[in-house]
């Protein structure tokens, strides 16, 4: 369930130190139903048989009291399910899809993508850690209210020389998409941009950030293992556990001083 | 952004009272790209142009500096995007999909579904509110640790006459799917079952709960408007803001005493 990473920890007044951090593992699980490749879920690699069956039942593809056979190849992230009866109406138009751990919408997952589509973010901007911690504090103030009263997620984007933009949505990834859409519509440059998130940093958010060229992602929560691996690869700076006076840097710390 | 519902509020020692609660609106937005129906996102109905463009850019379907035209029909939940260039590799196999606000995986949304597939949960079980609040307290204790250290979401299921089952995952809906899969694999009966969630109750979780026949869903956070509407329709009991000595009942309070 956990993977170890050597990261940089920052504490105000003490500066940076190197520490080993344990991070929740995120992995793909591809589900085959009666030999048909159905979907790839990004998940924690435990209870994979339950996950596959639960997904199929909850999506209405098979019935819970049906005669079901399951086999898992854990190392390959494959789950084969055989059922006597499939609900073909629910299957229609499903196609082969990859859905990420985050909040919906990640149709094409990085590692399944054509690597030629991958764009490395080569942004030489440097941001002070104090600015990041201050930005997080402001963002927390704004998003707290929404989370508590309405169950709405927030995200904020700080572009160089501009006031932070704040968006909220019942779907967490939607708030991020709204910010990215704002940049695209306004044709804003994303050099030195910092994206503030309230929740966990999953692989999907990293891919989204990379696609629009946002170099720095900050959350008060933890990243997943795959989020770190992809951020390392795509040249993105991941900052997690940004709380009060301290934060962890999980990748590309050269942008933080 | 908000819709009003008349709900029952419970406070230990004071009993039940009727109050008006404001709930975050959740609505579908169907995105067309160059006249091709692409996806339906469940979202908060604000900044819909940004959401659509951000989604398309973040998924690699269009480029952020491309020449993009957008038009929104807000009342119908439709967004038309015209772009000079589409990334056909990212489009491949996408099909027509509905993705919910939650954490991925909700391919077939209720209201787009054949209504004949809908199954109303007719479970006459009655559970005491005190048991629900105690169960929530236990669940909170277990899930707190995971959320704080690993950014992992938890969910718990209490079946009649059994100890609660706890599952965790980097994807919140995966934890729920694991619990549902556990029931299906063990062929457990779900009469009188209570599902405990740490986060917001979105429409997707309600649909999942309904498909497996879990009559009572409890969260310490808020439900969305669509979650309530669907729960009312499917005969599910939604309890939100279950914290300490009080909770709100959003639908089918006849199961709570």
């Amino acid at each position: 369930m956990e993977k170890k990473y050597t990261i940089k920890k920052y504490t105000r007044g003490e500066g940076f130190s190197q520490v080993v951090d344990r991070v929740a593992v995120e992995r793909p699980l591809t589900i085959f139903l009666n030999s048909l490749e159905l979907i790839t879920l990004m998940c924690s690699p435990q209870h994979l048989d339950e996950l596959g069956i639960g997904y199929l039942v909850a999506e209405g593809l098979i019935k819970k009291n049906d005669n079901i056979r399951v086999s898992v190849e854990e190392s390959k992230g494959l789950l084969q399910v055989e059922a006597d009866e499939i609900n073909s109406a629910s299957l229609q138009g499903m196609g082969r899809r990859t859905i990420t751990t985050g909040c919906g919408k990640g149709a094409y997952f990085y590692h399944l993508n054509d690597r030629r589509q991958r764009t490395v973010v080569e942004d030489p901007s440097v941001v002070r850690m104090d600015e990041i911690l201050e930005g997080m504090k402001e963002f927390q103030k704004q998003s707290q209210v929404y989370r508590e009263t309405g169950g709405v997620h927030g995200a904020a984007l700080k572009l160089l020389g501009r006031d932070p933009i704040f968006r909220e949505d019942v779907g967490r990834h939607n708030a991020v998409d709204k910010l990215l859409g704002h940049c695209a519509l306004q044709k804003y440059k994303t050099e030195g941009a910092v994206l503030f998130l309230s929740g966990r940093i999953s692989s999907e958010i990293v891919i989204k950030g990379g696609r629009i060229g946002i170099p720095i992602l900050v959350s008060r929560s933890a990243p997943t293992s795959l989020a770190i691996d992809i951020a390392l690869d795509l040249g993105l700076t991941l900052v997690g556990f940004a709380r009060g006076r301290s934060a962890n840097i999980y990748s590309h710390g050269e942008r933080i001083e």
Side-chain angles (χ1 to χ4, degrees), chain A:
Chain A
M1 278 295 285
E2 291 187 331
K3 195 175 158 185
K4 285 180 186 172
Y5 289 82
T6 302
I7 62 158
K8 277 205 271 187
K9 187 178 174 65
Y10 172 85
T11 308
R12 197 177 279 168
E14 297 172 25
F16 293 95
S17 61
Q18 201 157 295
V19 297
V20 173
D21 194 40
R22 293 179 310 165
V23 168
V25 170
E26 179 186 3
R27 270 217 228 126
L29 176 71
T30 302
I31 301 173
F32 290 78
L33 178 57
N34 290 0
S35 304
L36 178 74
E37 184 179 336
L38 206 66
I39 194 164
T40 298
L41 304 176
M42 303 308 301
C43 64
S44 300
Q46 275 191 326
H47 301 289
L48 296 178
D49 54 343
E50 293 181 359
L51 175 59
I53 295 299
Y55 174 79
L56 295 173
V57 172
E59 293 299 317
L61 290 158
I62 59 175
K63 292 220 176 75
K64 70 169 169 172
N65 296 317
D66 212 4
N67 196 9
I68 304 162
R69 280 90 50 204
V70 198
S71 66
V72 188
E73 281 185 84
E74 211 174 310
S75 61
K76 291 185 186 166
L78 298 179
L79 186 88
Q80 311 273 354
V81 179
E82 299 289 323
D84 293 342
E85 208 186 319
I86 302 181
N87 181 342
S88 54
S90 292
L91 252 186
Q92 256 174 33
M94 189 133 183
R96 198 173 68 179
R97 303 187 295 131
T98 299
I99 298 293
T100 61
T101 49
C103 292
K105 315 193 292 61
Y108 290 87
F109 191 68
Y110 176 71
H111 74 280
L112 297 177
N113 230 332
D114 188 343
R115 288 263 307 181
R116 285 168 298 179
Q117 282 198 49
R118 154 181 175 274
T119 313
V120 173
V121 176
E122 288 168 345
D123 181 342
S125 307
V126 173
V127 177
R128 282 191 307 112
M129 188 52 117
D130 274 350
E131 283 177 63
I132 286 176
L133 289 175
E134 281 308 309
M136 193 68 200
K137 215 160 105 184
E138 275 307 302
F139 165 59
Q140 279 291 114
K141 266 189 218 161
Q142 269 196 286
S143 61
Q144 192 86 17
V145 180
Y146 295 107
R147 274 213 316 285
E148 290 296 314
T149 58
V152 171
H153 296 282
L157 185 63
K158 175 74 182 81
L159 297 165
L160 279 182
R162 293 182 193 279
D163 286 335
I165 314 156
F166 183 80
R167 290 289 179 269
E168 47 177 338
D169 202 288
V170 285
R172 184 164 64 94
H173 288 199
N174 289 348
V176 171
D177 281 341
K178 284 176 177 178
L179 290 171
L180 304 183
H182 185 81
C183 284
L185 286 166
Q186 303 291 334
K187 309 229 180 268
Y188 284 154
K189 287 198 193 312
T190 55
E191 277 80 23
V194 184
L195 181 63
F196 294 96
L197 305 160
S198 53
R200 191 195 56 250
I201 306 179
S202 67
S203 56
E204 184 177 14
I205 286 285
V206 174
I207 294 165
K208 282 181 184 287
R211 283 238 177 78
I212 204 127
I214 290 171
I216 305 169
L217 281 70
V218 181
S219 169
R220 75 179 302 274
S221 186
T224 64
S225 65
L226 205 49
I228 299 173
D229 298 343
I230 295 172
L232 286 166
D233 187 34
L234 291 185
L236 298 173
T237 302
L238 277 198
V239 180
F241 289 102
R243 296 173 185 192
R245 303 168 55 240
S246 66
N248 294 344
I249 305 174
Y250 291 91
S251 63
H252 293 280
E254 67 272 12
R255 289 201 186 90
I256 312 285
E257 65 171 21

